[in-house]
Amino acid sequence: MECCDISHQIDIPSGSQKIVLAGNPNVGKSIFFNKFTGIYVAVSNYPGTTLDISSGMFNPENKDNDYVVLDTPGVYGVSSFNDEEAVARDVILAADAVVNIVDAVHLERDLFLTQQIIDMGIPVIVALNMMDEAERNGLKIDIDELSSELGVPVITTTAIKGEGLEEVKNSVDKSKVGNTIFNSDFLKEELDSLAEKINSRAEALLIMEGDPNVAEKNNRQALPHREKIYKKRRHRINNIIDSVISENGENSSLGSKIGHLMLKPLTGIPMLLATLYLLYELVGVFVAQTVVGITEETFFLEIYEPFIRGIVTPIIPIESFFGQLFVGEFGLFTMTVTYTFGLLLPLVAGFYFFLAILEDSGYMPRIAALVDRLLTSIGLNGRAIIPMLLGFGCVTMATITTRLLGSKRERIIATFLLGLAIPCSAQLGVIAGLIAPLGFEYFAIYVLTIFVVYVLAGTILNKVLPGKSTDLLIDIPPLRMPRLSNVLQKTYMKSKSFIKEAGPIFAIGALIITVMQETGMLTAIQNSLIPLTVGWLQLPKETATVFIMGIIRRDFGAAGLNSLSLTAIQTTVSLVVITLFVPCIAAMMTMFRERNWKEALFIWFGSWFTAFGVGGILAYLL
Amino acid sequence: MTLAEVQKGQKFIISDISDDNIRVQALRFGISEDAGLFCEEKIPGGPVIIKRQYQEIAIGRNLAKNIKVELSQ
Ligand SMILES: Nc1nc2c(ncn2[C@@H]2O[C@H](COP(=O)(O)OP(=O)(O)OP(=O)(O)O)[C@@H](O)[C@H]2O)c(=O)[nH]1
Ligand SMILES: [Mg+2]
């Protein structure tokens, strides 16, 4: 990402004032943004999920100035520990004024960012939000004292009730450069002279705090004062808090009690299992069967596909290459559209909806803490639960979210495991349908095999990959009732961006498959697999076709087994191989894009090798 | 002793965090060397949940092993 200049990313009319909304995660920035602009953006509760920069025009009452308001991802400070921070940093650096949203209940945490922005020399106005929660907790804050200590205006708000939003909106021009921690005894001369040299006080501060990107942009060496400055700032904030908070209630709300129970394994694990069961009922049963039955079968297969074929075939004969390409078995206007919108979109939206509830309620970070131990043994940490859960929806979508993991090695492990051992929802239904009639014994063998492969692969990768995975260090936010409008907005935004990112990949995948089929390559590959399937896996030779079909769409592969007459053992072996063998072509391409080609090839061949290896061993054992 | 050895319900202060980045991130969360903290929960083999006022933070076990603490009282 290009550092420190957001003008390439967003179109901002020249001459307009840039008002930036900044704050820690989950403090209500997006509600302010919606109020200021009337434009919908994602509103979330899991630390740092508004990764796109949202911007909008905004005109406070009686002001002639043109203002542009920008939302930022929630961050605990301005630096570059992760993508969110880099994005927030660049937007804040571009600000003419910052509206800093502060959670009144978490002043110690939130004021660090406030003080840092003040130290950057940017005019600030503080919106002290969540006043309802502060009152409920019996917290007494001296607002005038806080304002005079910080040297900037402070306005109290309760964003969910709309209280104070209007006042903040009409006070943006009252923002002030506050009181900094720098003085003649503390680095002031150094900061001032650097600010003068590079002509930016804000960037000078970040260079003093050792930010490598900002230093590089200014052709300077990052300076080693970060810890000294942070300590001083922390000390200053603790002093401010001592003087503004007069009464500290006890937090014994129902929410905090439930939140605690979610973290204790004895109660937390049953609650997590119940949640997963709900997820299964919602997505696995309701969406996958009822909704997809209507969207895919009734609408796309029975109405849409015949309609589009009817339009195209008079112009381009279906037997021709282009006929096949557009409206053939794997056609761009037929299979790709049906698959993307009829099957995947409902499933993905269902998953995102559920995830948005987990995030908005504050449950997600608690789940991450609870499963952290399991995931550290395979080289991941608790945060990886998000891509792992999403994988059961769509591996392509989950692979994209591996971006949120803390190190490259974690992203490789997660991507590999997703491709290898997580059956996506498109496939799960067909697998369940095939294995259920065989009885519990075979079901157990299947689940156990996949689970063992998952754990072993993770453990081995964790051992052999160089470097070190990052540890869990997350904020556990208070539990809140998710708001339906936020949840729906977020589901909509994420589903839309999934279709935008994954749609073209599915299209290219379909294109490649059609070309391979028309050139006879598909048959050649199928034939070359026969020795492996017959000799090693002890399966009929037609299963080779099924495996290859699985690359096109994971559910095709599994469904193809229906037409073969296999013994119980053969069915189990093929299902294991299909699950392990085939990330669909879209997932394979996403891996290629998210990782580099070397790692992608390693992941593809690694999972093929594992699939046939495990399948063969299983066939031999059973 | 280290944070990993603190028992649930104990009060303590942090005396040393060896990793530079973690130390700095902790400072931002409000955890400085003199801050009084409380062990809210210990997930067996997993993260330690520490609390200061209304702020709760989950710290992975491996990380907790590298954080030195002193019990208060
Ligand atoms: N009780 C209460 N809840 C609030 C208030 N303001 C916001 N919330 C809730 O806080 C949660 C987070 O709000 P968002 O607007 O998504 O916060 P954000 O700062 O944009 O979050 P990120 O973009 O994820 O950093 C939502 O569940 C809101 O309903 C408030 O004044 N009182
Ligand atoms: Mg937001």
Side-chain angles (χ1 to χ4, degrees):
Chain A
M1 200 178 88
E2 194 141 337
C3 166
C4 320
D5 188 358
I6 55 162
S7 55
H8 303 299
Q9 279 101 352
I10 327 169
D11 195 21
I12 295 169
S14 59
S16 58
Q17 297 270 332
K18 291 185 280 300
I19 309 293
V20 169
L21 300 175
N24 282 221
N26 318 313
V27 295
K29 292 179 297 298
S30 296
I31 299 187
F32 276 81
F33 182 79
N34 288 349
K35 170 71 184 176
F36 283 12
T37 60
I39 288 176
Y40 275 6
V41 293
V43 178
S44 81
N45 202 273
Y46 191 81
T49 42
T50 325
L51 243 197
D52 308 308
I53 309 170
S54 314
S55 65
M57 295 301 291
F58 123 97
N59 279 306
E61 275 166 38
N62 320 320
K63 310 267 154 57
D64 336 305
N65 249 331
D66 265 346
Y67 290 96
V68 173
V69 56
L70 300 128
D71 196 10
T72 56
V75 291
Y76 302 106
V78 185
S79 44
S80 41
F81 284 116
N82 54 38
D83 287 355
E84 281 89 355
E85 293 191 4
V87 171
R89 178 197 64 205
D90 293 351
V91 181
I92 291 171
L93 279 175
D96 292 305
V98 166
V99 176
N100 176 212
I101 325 286
V102 167
D103 175 352
V105 184
H106 291 99
L107 284 183
E108 304 208 17
R109 183 196 67 188
D110 289 35
L111 288 183
F112 188 92
L113 175 67
T114 311
Q115 185 64 53
Q116 193 179 21
I117 299 171
I118 289 174
D119 292 335
M120 288 167 88
I122 301 171
V124 174
I125 178 166
V126 168
L128 195 60
N129 194 32
M130 310 264 181
M131 285 308 283
D132 57 331
E133 289 195 353
E135 263 159 48
R136 206 172 325 125
N137 286 317
L139 208 60
K140 290 244 159 53
I141 304 168
D142 184 337
I143 309 297
D144 294 334
E145 177 74 9
L146 180 60
S147 173
S148 80
E149 286 283 349
L150 292 172
V152 304
V154 176
I155 297 172
T156 56
T157 63
T158 301
I160 40 163
K161 294 191 195 138
E163 288 168 20
L165 295 183
E166 201 65 33
E167 194 186 343
V168 175
K169 184 174 172 178
N170 293 323
S171 310
V172 286
D173 59 343
K174 299 199 183 80
S175 59
K176 275 215 191 86
V177 178
N179 306 328
T180 89
I181 56 168
F182 294 88
N183 57 37
S184 46
D185 293 332
F186 188 75
L187 298 174
K188 186 174 187 305
E189 281 77 49
E190 205 168 340
L191 178 61
D192 286 347
S193 81
L194 182 59
E196 200 172 314
K197 275 186 214 131
I198 65 172
N199 207 7
S200 161
R201 157 112 187 176
E203 291 184 14
L205 177 78
L206 295 185
I207 293 175
M208 300 252 304
E209 289 182 1
D211 190 303
N213 303 354
V214 180
E216 193 185 330
K217 178 202 163 199
N218 289 291
N219 293 321
R220 290 193 163 263
Q221 216 62 47
L223 300 172
H225 303 309
R226 180 172 70 177
E227 193 160 349
K228 213 184 307 169
I229 298 174
Y230 275 34
K231 272 199 174 135
K232 174 97 174 170
R233 192 175 285 141
R234 168 54 46 205
H235 189 69
R236 160 113 181 109
I237 290 153
N238 288 352
N239 285 342
I240 296 181
I241 286 171
D242 284 345
S243 69
V244 301
I245 294 189
S246 53
E247 238 170 88
N248 228 329
E250 192 39 50
N251 188 352
S252 55
S253 67
L254 184 63
S256 80
K257 288 207 182 89
I258 299 176
H260 197 169
L261 291 180
M262 286 170 164
L263 279 171
K264 276 174 134 61
L266 204 62
T267 40
I269 292 170
M271 283 161 124
L272 179 57
L273 292 177
T275 307
L276 293 177
Y277 178 74
L278 273 179
L279 175 64
Y280 168 76
E281 281 291 326
L282 175 80
V283 183
V285 178
F286 175 68
V287 177
Q289 290 166 22
T290 316
V291 177
V292 168
I294 298 169
T295 52
E296 185 182 23
E297 300 284 326
T298 315
F299 182 72
F300 280 100
L301 288 179
E302 286 167 23
I303 302 174
Y304 167 79
E305 288 200 11
F307 170 77
I308 198 83
R309 281 204 182 92
I311 294 181
V312 173
T313 39
I315 313 164
I316 312 169
I318 191 152
E319 310 79 44
S320 70
F321 174 76
F322 283 102
Q324 283 296 312
L325 192 65
F326 291 128
V327 292
E329 196 182 350
F330 316 118
L332 289 178
F333 296 140
T334 46
M335 187 196 82
T336 309
V337 173
T338 303
Y339 190 52
T340 312
F341 293 97
L343 178 73
L344 285 179
L345 180 59
L347 288 169
V348 164
F351 257 89
Y352 276 140
F353 177 78
F354 200 83
L355 200 71
I357 293 179
L358 294 186
E359 292 180 347
D360 250 33
S361 61
Y363 188 18
M364 203 68 209
R366 290 175 170 80
I367 297 180
L370 199 60
V371 300
D372 183 60
R373 178 191 182 175
L374 296 177
L375 290 169
T376 46
S377 61
I378 54 172
L380 299 170
N381 76 42
R383 292 192 64 170
I385 189 67
I386 296 177
M388 289 304 156
L389 265 184
L390 283 177
F392 288 100
C394 171
V395 171
T396 306
M397 154 177 89
T399 306
I400 296 171
T401 47
T402 56
R403 283 176 206 166
L404 67 79
L405 302 178
S407 66
K408 186 175 149 198
R409 121 190 251 279
E410 286 160 79
R411 291 190 281 268
I412 296 176
I413 295 176
T415 308
F416 185 80
L417 293 179
L418 281 168
L420 183 68
I422 306 275
C424 69
S425 53
Q427 207 182 15
L428 273 173
V430 191
I431 291 176
L434 279 165
I435 204 130
L438 306 182
F440 181 75
E441 193 192 333
Y442 289 99
F443 172 74
I445 292 174
Y446 171 80
V447 173
L448 206 69
T449 310
I450 301 294
F451 182 73
V452 167
V453 170
Y454 180 88
V455 173
L456 271 183
T459 312
I460 293 170
L461 281 179
N462 187 28
K463 286 253 150 57
V464 301
L465 286 180
K468 202 169 154 289
S469 293
T470 57
D471 291 306
L472 191 73
L473 176 66
I474 52 167
D475 178 29
I476 305 282
L479 278 192
R480 295 201 182 93
M481 202 57 186
R483 299 198 316 154
L484 187 66
S485 63
N486 294 1
V487 169
L488 291 178
Q489 263 178 41
K490 198 167 151 183
T491 308
Y492 169 75
M493 296 281 293
K494 293 220 169 155
S495 304
K496 193 170 112 181
S497 82
F498 167 74
I499 294 293
K500 261 176 47 195
E501 284 208 45
I505 300 177
F506 286 113
I508 298 171
L511 202 128
I512 295 175
I513 295 296
T514 308
V515 171
M516 282 173 72
Q517 194 193 34
E518 293 291 300
T519 54
M521 260 168 79
L522 213 50
T523 334
I525 296 176
Q526 279 161 9
N527 288 336
S528 69
L529 272 183
I530 289 174
L532 208 53
T533 41
V534 179
W536 172 241
L537 298 176
Q538 301 163 28
L539 298 171
K541 69 180 198 316
E542 292 79 18
T543 15
T545 314
V546 174
F547 292 150
I548 294 300
M549 283 325 225
I551 298 189
I552 305 167
R553 280 176 52 162
R554 294 184 91 177
D555 56 332
F556 269 15
L561 291 175
N562 264 328
S563 54
L564 305 173
S565 51
L566 300 175
T567 65
I569 293 176
Q570 286 178 328
T571 307
T572 312
V573 171
S574 344
L575 285 179
V576 165
V577 175
I578 279 192
T579 308
L580 299 177
F581 168 56
V582 201
C584 69
I585 191 156
M588 285 165 59
M589 288 168 57
T590 313
M591 288 168 190
F592 191 80
R593 207 182 52 178
E594 294 292 316
R595 314 256 40 91
N596 58 44
W597 62 270
K598 262 194 213 152
E599 289 164 24
L601 285 182
F602 162 76
I603 292 172
W604 297 354
F605 288 114
S607 64
W608 294 347
F609 181 78
T610 316
F612 285 105
V614 172
I617 293 169
L618 202 61
Y620 178 78
L621 287 179
L622 289 177
Chain B
M1 75 192 277
T2 71
L3 179 57
E5 294 161 277
V6 171
Q7 297 301 312
K8 181 179 167 182
Q10 285 181 327
K11 291 193 175 128
F12 59 93
I13 57 170
I14 287 184
S15 52
D16 182 42
I17 301 177
S18 53
D19 185 305
D20 282 353
N21 277 333
I22 300 291
R23 191 165 58 236
V24 162
Q25 287 187 47
L27 273 173
R28 301 197 305 189
F29 280 133
I31 299 174
S32 48
E33 263 137 37
D34 48 357
L37 302 166
F38 174 77
C39 177
E40 170 94 354
E41 185 63 65
K42 261 179 101 175
I43 299 175
V48 183
I49 317 290
I50 64 173
K51 188 168 173 170
R52 172 167 168 79
Q53 314 276 27
Y54 298 96
Q55 177 70 44
E56 286 177 50
I57 294 164
I59 298 181
R61 188 57 68 97
N62 282 332
L63 187 51
K65 285 180 188 153
N66 289 312
I67 296 180
K68 294 215 170 62
V69 302
E70 276 163 32
L71 293 181
S72 17
Q73 309 154 352

